Amino acid sequence: MDITPQEYDQLVQKHCKRSPLGKDMLWAFIVGGAICTIGQGITDFWKAAGLNEKDAATATSITLVGLAALLTGLHLYEKLAKHAGAGTLVPITGFSNSVASPALEFKSEGLILGTAAKMFTIAGPVLVYGISASIIYGIILVILSAI
């Protein structure tokens, strides 16, 4: 069957289910906001435990990453992400999930060639881009401040 790209697009549009954009955005907003609210509660907990602002923020990040990795390991994070979409991807918990998921998926291939090698398949490019972009941004700021 020889089909043009335009005919293929029409065929795809005919058979695709439309995404409920409004509902998806609302769920992302609610769940992302809930994760951030939980994060604020964790920060308040660490402050009440005697940590200063900076240390409480660090402890909160560590706690959220640990909780998200635990929920990923229990296969609960993916169930939440199925309904919340970007609401679970954007906070730091999404980063934790993107590291833990491939590590769990490839654990059967062994500790080194499976878990360790595949752990950053999703998060690795994001880290490389983020670090590279921040270095370039820093260099530009240094050059502009010298002018």
Side-chain angles (χ1 to χ4, degrees), residues 17-31 82-87:
K17 187 176 105 175
R18 302 246 337 139
S19 176
L21 188 60
K23 181 182 139 197
D24 289 350
M25 288 190 308
L26 180 64
W27 267 111
F29 178 77
I30 290 170
V31 173
K82 181 179 177 183
H83 299 289

PDB file of all heavy atoms in Angstrom, residues 17-31 82-87:
ATOM      1  N   LYS A  17      -7.630   9.067  19.551  1.00  0.00           N
ATOM      2  CA  LYS A  17      -8.552   9.602  20.536  1.00  0.00           C
ATOM      3  C   LYS A  17      -8.042  10.980  20.959  1.00  0.00           C
ATOM      4  O   LYS A  17      -6.853  11.152  21.238  1.00  0.00           O
ATOM      5  CB  LYS A  17      -8.603   8.654  21.736  1.00  0.00           C
ATOM      6  CG  LYS A  17      -9.644   9.004  22.750  1.00  0.00           C
ATOM      7  CD  LYS A  17      -9.678   7.951  23.839  1.00  0.00           C
ATOM      8  CE  LYS A  17      -9.014   8.527  25.061  1.00  0.00           C
ATOM      9  NZ  LYS A  17      -9.079   7.666  26.226  1.00  0.00           N
ATOM     10  N   ARG A  18      -8.918  11.933  20.998  1.00  0.00           N
ATOM     11  CA  ARG A  18      -8.526  13.289  21.395  1.00  0.00           C
ATOM     12  C   ARG A  18      -8.195  13.314  22.881  1.00  0.00           C
ATOM     13  O   ARG A  18      -8.875  12.710  23.694  1.00  0.00           O
ATOM     14  CB  ARG A  18      -9.637  14.284  21.097  1.00  0.00           C
ATOM     15  CG  ARG A  18     -10.041  14.314  19.643  1.00  0.00           C
ATOM     16  CD  ARG A  18      -9.792  15.517  18.835  1.00  0.00           C
ATOM     17  NE  ARG A  18      -9.640  16.776  19.462  1.00  0.00           N
ATOM     18  CZ  ARG A  18      -8.727  17.643  19.079  1.00  0.00           C
ATOM     19  NH1 ARG A  18      -7.912  17.351  18.109  1.00  0.00           N
ATOM     20  NH2 ARG A  18      -8.641  18.807  19.655  1.00  0.00           N
ATOM     21  N   SER A  19      -7.148  14.028  23.209  1.00  0.00           N
ATOM     22  CA  SER A  19      -6.728  14.155  24.601  1.00  0.00           C
ATOM     23  C   SER A  19      -7.572  15.214  25.303  1.00  0.00           C
ATOM     24  O   SER A  19      -7.759  16.303  24.761  1.00  0.00           O
ATOM     25  CB  SER A  19      -5.254  14.563  24.647  1.00  0.00           C
ATOM     26  OG  SER A  19      -4.850  14.785  25.969  1.00  0.00           O
ATOM     27  N   PRO A  20      -8.069  14.905  26.493  1.00  0.00           N
ATOM     28  CA  PRO A  20      -8.837  15.908  27.249  1.00  0.00           C
ATOM     29  C   PRO A  20      -7.878  16.919  27.881  1.00  0.00           C
ATOM     30  O   PRO A  20      -7.505  16.791  29.052  1.00  0.00           O
ATOM     31  CB  PRO A  20      -9.582  15.075  28.291  1.00  0.00           C
ATOM     32  CG  PRO A  20      -8.721  13.868  28.483  1.00  0.00           C
ATOM     33  CD  PRO A  20      -8.039  13.623  27.168  1.00  0.00           C
ATOM     34  N   LEU A  21      -7.468  17.904  27.111  1.00  0.00           N
ATOM     35  CA  LEU A  21      -6.418  18.835  27.514  1.00  0.00           C
ATOM     36  C   LEU A  21      -6.744  19.564  28.813  1.00  0.00           C
ATOM     37  O   LEU A  21      -5.907  19.665  29.699  1.00  0.00           O
ATOM     38  CB  LEU A  21      -6.166  19.840  26.382  1.00  0.00           C
ATOM     39  CG  LEU A  21      -4.965  20.758  26.556  1.00  0.00           C
ATOM     40  CD1 LEU A  21      -3.691  19.946  26.669  1.00  0.00           C
ATOM     41  CD2 LEU A  21      -4.871  21.709  25.383  1.00  0.00           C
ATOM     42  N   GLY A  22      -7.960  20.063  28.941  1.00  0.00           N
ATOM     43  CA  GLY A  22      -8.336  20.792  30.154  1.00  0.00           C
ATOM     44  C   GLY A  22      -8.229  19.923  31.392  1.00  0.00           C
ATOM     45  O   GLY A  22      -7.677  20.339  32.420  1.00  0.00           O
ATOM     46  N   LYS A  23      -8.746  18.710  31.309  1.00  0.00           N
ATOM     47  CA  LYS A  23      -8.687  17.778  32.443  1.00  0.00           C
ATOM     48  C   LYS A  23      -7.245  17.417  32.763  1.00  0.00           C
ATOM     49  O   LYS A  23      -6.853  17.370  33.934  1.00  0.00           O
ATOM     50  CB  LYS A  23      -9.494  16.528  32.106  1.00  0.00           C
ATOM     51  CG  LYS A  23      -9.527  15.495  33.201  1.00  0.00           C
ATOM     52  CD  LYS A  23     -10.315  14.275  32.750  1.00  0.00           C
ATOM     53  CE  LYS A  23      -9.607  13.042  33.212  1.00  0.00           C
ATOM     54  NZ  LYS A  23      -9.974  11.833  32.575  1.00  0.00           N
ATOM     55  N   ASP A  24      -6.440  17.171  31.727  1.00  0.00           N
ATOM     56  CA  ASP A  24      -5.039  16.826  31.942  1.00  0.00           C
ATOM     57  C   ASP A  24      -4.280  17.962  32.627  1.00  0.00           C
ATOM     58  O   ASP A  24      -3.483  17.727  33.541  1.00  0.00           O
ATOM     59  CB  ASP A  24      -4.362  16.483  30.611  1.00  0.00           C
ATOM     60  CG  ASP A  24      -4.838  15.162  30.032  1.00  0.00           C
ATOM     61  OD1 ASP A  24      -5.539  14.413  30.739  1.00  0.00           O
ATOM     62  OD2 ASP A  24      -4.517  14.892  28.851  1.00  0.00           O
ATOM     63  N   MET A  25      -4.529  19.190  32.199  1.00  0.00           N
ATOM     64  CA  MET A  25      -3.852  20.337  32.815  1.00  0.00           C
ATOM     65  C   MET A  25      -4.287  20.523  34.260  1.00  0.00           C
ATOM     66  O   MET A  25      -3.467  20.836  35.129  1.00  0.00           O
ATOM     67  CB  MET A  25      -4.112  21.608  32.006  1.00  0.00           C
ATOM     68  CG  MET A  25      -3.382  21.630  30.683  1.00  0.00           C
ATOM     69  SD  MET A  25      -3.409  23.205  29.808  1.00  0.00           S
ATOM     70  CE  MET A  25      -5.117  23.628  29.754  1.00  0.00           C
ATOM     71  N   LEU A  26      -5.579  20.319  34.534  1.00  0.00           N
ATOM     72  CA  LEU A  26      -6.078  20.448  35.899  1.00  0.00           C
ATOM     73  C   LEU A  26      -5.428  19.416  36.816  1.00  0.00           C
ATOM     74  O   LEU A  26      -4.972  19.740  37.912  1.00  0.00           O
ATOM     75  CB  LEU A  26      -7.604  20.306  35.926  1.00  0.00           C
ATOM     76  CG  LEU A  26      -8.256  20.426  37.292  1.00  0.00           C
ATOM     77  CD1 LEU A  26      -8.040  21.821  37.873  1.00  0.00           C
ATOM     78  CD2 LEU A  26      -9.749  20.126  37.203  1.00  0.00           C
ATOM     79  N   TRP A  27      -5.354  18.153  36.359  1.00  0.00           N
ATOM     80  CA  TRP A  27      -4.718  17.108  37.157  1.00  0.00           C
ATOM     81  C   TRP A  27      -3.245  17.420  37.387  1.00  0.00           C
ATOM     82  O   TRP A  27      -2.720  17.221  38.486  1.00  0.00           O
ATOM     83  CB  TRP A  27      -4.874  15.744  36.490  1.00  0.00           C
ATOM     84  CG  TRP A  27      -6.081  15.013  36.971  1.00  0.00           C
ATOM     85  CD1 TRP A  27      -7.204  14.742  36.260  1.00  0.00           C
ATOM     86  CD2 TRP A  27      -6.299  14.478  38.274  1.00  0.00           C
ATOM     87  NE1 TRP A  27      -8.106  14.072  37.041  1.00  0.00           N
ATOM     88  CE2 TRP A  27      -7.572  13.889  38.284  1.00  0.00           C
ATOM     89  CE3 TRP A  27      -5.542  14.429  39.439  1.00  0.00           C
ATOM     90  CZ2 TRP A  27      -8.101  13.267  39.413  1.00  0.00           C
ATOM     91  CZ3 TRP A  27      -6.074  13.804  40.556  1.00  0.00           C
ATOM     92  CH2 TRP A  27      -7.332  13.233  40.531  1.00  0.00           C
ATOM     93  N   ALA A  28      -2.556  17.888  36.351  1.00  0.00           N
ATOM     94  CA  ALA A  28      -1.136  18.227  36.495  1.00  0.00           C
ATOM     95  C   ALA A  28      -0.960  19.346  37.515  1.00  0.00           C
ATOM     96  O   ALA A  28      -0.057  19.293  38.362  1.00  0.00           O
ATOM     97  CB  ALA A  28      -0.543  18.636  35.147  1.00  0.00           C
ATOM     98  N   PHE A  29      -1.829  20.338  37.472  1.00  0.00           N
ATOM     99  CA  PHE A  29      -1.765  21.460  38.400  1.00  0.00           C
ATOM    100  C   PHE A  29      -2.021  20.996  39.834  1.00  0.00           C
ATOM    101  O   PHE A  29      -1.293  21.355  40.759  1.00  0.00           O
ATOM    102  CB  PHE A  29      -2.781  22.526  37.993  1.00  0.00           C
ATOM    103  CG  PHE A  29      -2.826  23.701  38.917  1.00  0.00           C
ATOM    104  CD1 PHE A  29      -1.853  24.679  38.868  1.00  0.00           C
ATOM    105  CD2 PHE A  29      -3.859  23.829  39.845  1.00  0.00           C
ATOM    106  CE1 PHE A  29      -1.895  25.763  39.722  1.00  0.00           C
ATOM    107  CE2 PHE A  29      -3.912  24.904  40.696  1.00  0.00           C
ATOM    108  CZ  PHE A  29      -2.922  25.875  40.639  1.00  0.00           C
ATOM    109  N   ILE A  30      -3.049  20.173  40.011  1.00  0.00           N
ATOM    110  CA  ILE A  30      -3.415  19.705  41.356  1.00  0.00           C
ATOM    111  C   ILE A  30      -2.320  18.820  41.945  1.00  0.00           C
ATOM    112  O   ILE A  30      -1.886  19.016  43.086  1.00  0.00           O
ATOM    113  CB  ILE A  30      -4.773  18.967  41.323  1.00  0.00           C
ATOM    114  CG1 ILE A  30      -5.901  19.969  41.065  1.00  0.00           C
ATOM    115  CG2 ILE A  30      -5.018  18.206  42.613  1.00  0.00           C
ATOM    116  CD1 ILE A  30      -7.249  19.330  40.781  1.00  0.00           C
ATOM    117  N   VAL A  31      -1.860  17.845  41.176  1.00  0.00           N
ATOM    118  CA  VAL A  31      -0.854  16.918  41.708  1.00  0.00           C
ATOM    119  C   VAL A  31       0.489  17.617  41.889  1.00  0.00           C
ATOM    120  O   VAL A  31       1.158  17.432  42.915  1.00  0.00           O
ATOM    121  CB  VAL A  31      -0.726  15.671  40.813  1.00  0.00           C
ATOM    122  CG1 VAL A  31       0.423  14.791  41.257  1.00  0.00           C
ATOM    123  CG2 VAL A  31      -2.025  14.882  40.836  1.00  0.00           C
ATOM    124  N   LYS A  82       0.414   8.376  35.688  1.00  0.00           N
ATOM    125  CA  LYS A  82      -0.511   8.041  34.607  1.00  0.00           C
ATOM    126  C   LYS A  82      -1.660   9.045  34.545  1.00  0.00           C
ATOM    127  O   LYS A  82      -2.130   9.402  33.466  1.00  0.00           O
ATOM    128  CB  LYS A  82      -1.049   6.627  34.829  1.00  0.00           C
ATOM    129  CG  LYS A  82      -1.994   6.142  33.769  1.00  0.00           C
ATOM    130  CD  LYS A  82      -2.454   4.733  34.064  1.00  0.00           C
ATOM    131  CE  LYS A  82      -3.456   4.264  33.050  1.00  0.00           C
ATOM    132  NZ  LYS A  82      -3.967   2.930  33.365  1.00  0.00           N
ATOM    133  N   HIS A  83      -2.093   9.525  35.696  1.00  0.00           N
ATOM    134  CA  HIS A  83      -3.208  10.474  35.741  1.00  0.00           C
ATOM    135  C   HIS A  83      -2.749  11.929  35.826  1.00  0.00           C
ATOM    136  O   HIS A  83      -3.437  12.821  35.351  1.00  0.00           O
ATOM    137  CB  HIS A  83      -4.115  10.168  36.932  1.00  0.00           C
ATOM    138  CG  HIS A  83      -4.727   8.804  36.866  1.00  0.00           C
ATOM    139  ND1 HIS A  83      -5.708   8.480  35.953  1.00  0.00           N
ATOM    140  CD2 HIS A  83      -4.475   7.687  37.561  1.00  0.00           C
ATOM    141  CE1 HIS A  83      -6.045   7.223  36.106  1.00  0.00           C
ATOM    142  NE2 HIS A  83      -5.301   6.705  37.067  1.00  0.00           N
ATOM    143  N   ALA A  84      -1.585  12.162  36.415  1.00  0.00           N
ATOM    144  CA  ALA A  84      -1.148  13.529  36.667  1.00  0.00           C
ATOM    145  C   ALA A  84      -0.210  14.087  35.616  1.00  0.00           C
ATOM    146  O   ALA A  84      -0.022  15.293  35.534  1.00  0.00           O
ATOM    147  CB  ALA A  84      -0.483  13.607  38.032  1.00  0.00           C
ATOM    148  N   GLY A  85       0.395  13.244  34.802  1.00  0.00           N
ATOM    149  CA  GLY A  85       1.278  13.713  33.734  1.00  0.00           C
ATOM    150  C   GLY A  85       2.399  14.597  34.227  1.00  0.00           C
ATOM    151  O   GLY A  85       3.177  14.221  35.099  1.00  0.00           O
ATOM    152  N   ALA A  86       2.482  15.797  33.676  1.00  0.00           N
ATOM    153  CA  ALA A  86       3.569  16.723  33.989  1.00  0.00           C
ATOM    154  C   ALA A  86       3.571  17.155  35.446  1.00  0.00           C
ATOM    155  O   ALA A  86       4.597  17.602  35.948  1.00  0.00           O
ATOM    156  CB  ALA A  86       3.488  17.953  33.091  1.00  0.00           C
ATOM    157  N   GLY A  87       2.450  16.995  36.138  1.00  0.00           N
ATOM    158  CA  GLY A  87       2.410  17.327  37.559  1.00  0.00           C
ATOM    159  C   GLY A  87       3.372  16.494  38.381  1.00  0.00           C
ATOM    160  O   GLY A  87       3.838  16.914  39.433  1.00  0.00           O
TER     161      GLY A  87
END
